[in-house]
Amino acid sequence: MNNADAMSLTATLLAAAGGLTAAIHDGVVARGFDDLRPAHGFAFARLAPVGATAADLAEHLGVSRQAASQMVEELVGKGYVERHPHPDDARARLVVLTDRGRACTRAAEEAAADAVRPWAALLGERRLQALRDDLARLAPGGPIRPNW
């Protein structure tokens, strides 16, 4: 692949990612969660399974611990997360989603499905699944970080 084709590919992938982020955010807002920014969704993705410490969240988001702590404080104030004692570390606090946070996560999942439906209509289910599989091979499990 020549340089121009490589630049075109990267620009297209970044545009698709930006479009998905905006579409998911718009869908979350339309579902009643209008007090969040897209960056919060990236935090929720890390917190959703079993919670995380502010330090874990900072690493996941690629920000300082102070920035992650500020985000946690903001999300606590909005009722999306709460702090619990960490089961394995008496010095740490585990940040977990509240019912409201889990509802927002479900809204984001619905919005994501809505966002890719036009892709399935354009490409077909088989090609879209192949695209997902190819992208998963290119980016296996790395952190998904917001563009601040």
Side-chain angles (χ1 to χ4, degrees), residues 30-82:
R31 287 166 173 84
F33 301 95
D34 59 357
D35 57 346
L36 296 173
R37 299 184 315 272
H40 294 126
F42 291 97
F44 285 15
R46 176 61 181 89
L47 298 174
V50 294
T53 65
D56 295 333
L57 192 57
E59 181 179 335
H60 174 77
L61 295 173
V63 300
S64 68
R65 286 185 181 193
Q66 180 181 5
S69 293
Q70 288 173 345
M71 180 183 281
V72 167
E73 192 63 35
E74 178 184 2
L75 293 172
V76 166
K78 292 180 179 190
Y80 289 101
V81 302
E82 56 192 14

Side-chain angles (χ1 to χ4, degrees), residues 127-146:
R127 286 187 62 203
L128 187 58
Q129 300 242 352
L131 175 61
R132 181 204 58 205
D133 294 345
D134 288 343
L135 290 172
R137 282 197 299 272
L138 293 173
I144 302 170
R145 293 189 171 141

Side-chain angles (χ1 to χ4, degrees), residues 9-27 37-39 42 111-112 115-116 119 135 144-148:
L9 173 62
T10 58
T12 302
L13 285 170
L14 291 170
L20 276 176
T21 300
I24 293 168
H25 178 69
D26 291 347
R37 299 184 315 272
F42 291 97
V116 298
W119 294 12
L135 290 172
I144 302 170
R145 293 189 171 141
N147 292 326
W148 298 95

